C-alpha cells in the first residue's frame, strides 16, 4: 500500500459533526478551544504544557493540512454541524503501514465534554480506518487516571489490551501508567 495514493476523504460526516482535515485559517478556532479547555488539557495532554500562541495554532493547522495531503498523518478537526463551532480534535496516526496499524487520539473543548461527541468521532474514524485504510489494528492510549478517556474507548468497542506501568511522564512530572485499548479488524 502506498499511503500517498490512498483516497482518504477530506470530510467525514457523523450525525452531529463534520470531521475534516485541518486547513489554513483554522488556527484561530483551535486556539480559542485550547484556551477554553487548557486546565483540562494540561492535565492529560503532553503537548499542552503551555497555552499556544495564535501563530503556533495556525502552524499546527497548516502543518496538519500538509501531513493529511501527504498521508503521513491524519489529523482531524471536529466541527459541530449546527453551530459550525470547532469542538475538538482527533486523528488517525499511522504506527505501522505494513500491518496497517493506527493510533486514535482525541480531545474535546470543555463546553462540549460529556455530550458523546468524542465517542461519535472515534466510532466514525474506526469505521473509516477499517474500510478505507484497511487497518488491522487500531490503538487508543490514555493515562490510567483519565477515566473519561478510557470510557470513550470502551464505548467505541475497544478492549483493554495492556496497562503499561510507569510508561511515561505526565505533564505534572509524575510517572504515569498508560492504558492501551485495541480494536482489531473483524471485531464487533
Amino acid at each position: 500500500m502506498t499511503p500517498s495514493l490512498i483516497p482518504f476523504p477530506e470530510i467525514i460526516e457523523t450525525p452531529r459533526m463534520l470531521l475534516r482535515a485541518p486547513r489554513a485559517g483554522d488556527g484561530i478556532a483551535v486556539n480559542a478551544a485550547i484556551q477554553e479547555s487548557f486546565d483540562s488539557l494540561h492535565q492529560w495532554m503532553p503537548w499542552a504544557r503551555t497555552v499556544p500562541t495564535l501563530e503556533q495554532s495556525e502552524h499546527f493547522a497548516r502543518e496538519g493540512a500538509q501531513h493529511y495531503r501527504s498521508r503521513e498523518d491524519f489529523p482531524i478537526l471536529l466541527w459541530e454541524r449546527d453551530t459550525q463551532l470547532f469542538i475538538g480534535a482527533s486523528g488517525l496516526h499511522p504506527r505501522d503501514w505494513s500491518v496497517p496499524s493506527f493510533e486514535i487520539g482525541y480531545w474535546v473543548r470543555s463546553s462540549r465534554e460529556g455530550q458523546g461527541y468524542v465517542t461519535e468521532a472515534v466510532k466514525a474514524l474506526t469505521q473509516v480506518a477499517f474500510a478505507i485504510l484497511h487497518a488491522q489494528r487500531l490503538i487508543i492510549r490514555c493515562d490510567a487516571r483519565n477515566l473519561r478517556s478510557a470510557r470513550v474507548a470502551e464505548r467505541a468497542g475497544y478492549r483493554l489490551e495492556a496497562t503499561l506501568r510507569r510508561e511515561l511522564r505526565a505533564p505534572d512530572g509524575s510517572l504515569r501508567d498508560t492504558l492501551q485499548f485495541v480494536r482489531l479488524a473483524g471485531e464487533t
Side-chain angles (χ1 to χ4, degrees):
M1 175 185 321
T2 304
S4 63
L5 299 178
I6 296 169
F8 199 79
E10 290 291 316
I11 297 175
I12 300 165
E13 295 186 35
T14 74
R16 298 182 296 162
M17 292 178 290
L18 296 177
L19 285 55
R20 71 161 173 79
R23 298 176 184 161
D26 284 340
I28 292 171
V30 171
N31 191 271
I34 292 172
Q35 286 190 38
E36 173 191 312
S37 310
F38 185 73
D39 288 342
S40 178
L41 293 172
H42 180 72
Q43 192 175 7
W44 308 117
M45 301 297 192
W47 56 264
R49 297 206 187 280
T50 60
V51 176
T53 64
L54 280 173
E55 183 178 279
Q56 289 169 324
S57 294
E58 183 60 23
H59 177 76
F60 159 80
R62 291 176 185 222
E63 189 175 66
Q66 289 175 343
H67 290 310
Y68 200 97
R69 279 192 301 278
S70 68
R71 307 304 193 237
E72 291 173 57
D73 196 15
F74 299 95
I76 304 285
L77 302 184
L78 313 178
W79 298 86
E80 196 171 51
R81 287 177 95 144
D82 292 344
T83 65
Q84 308 300 303
L85 179 69
F86 171 74
I87 60 171
S90 189
L92 285 165
H93 311 295
R95 292 295 169 242
D96 187 340
W97 280 103
S98 70
V99 173
S101 173
F102 301 86
E103 183 172 340
I104 296 179
Y106 44 79
W107 65 272
V108 67
R109 73 186 306 150
S110 295
S111 61
R112 294 304 190 267
E113 286 180 351
Q115 298 177 34
Y117 284 108
V118 175
T119 301
E120 187 175 318
V122 169
K123 286 179 176 181
L125 291 174
T126 298
Q127 289 177 339
V128 169
F130 288 138
I132 295 174
L133 298 176
H134 307 291
Q136 294 297 309
R137 179 179 172 81
L138 298 176
I139 303 162
I140 294 175
R141 295 164 42 93
C142 67
D143 187 312
R145 299 169 296 176
N146 190 344
L147 300 179
R148 294 182 90 162
S149 186
R151 298 299 167 259
V152 167
E154 291 167 348
R155 283 192 301 271
Y158 287 70
R159 294 185 188 149
L160 181 62
E161 180 179 66
T163 299
L164 308 172
R165 300 179 322 148
R166 297 184 189 168
E167 193 242 351
L168 291 172
R169 289 260 176 219
D172 68 4
S174 65
L175 284 172
R176 78 169 214 193
D177 293 347
T178 300
L179 301 179
Q180 182 164 295
F181 294 89
V182 172
R183 187 148 168 208
L184 302 177
E187 288 184 340
T188 56

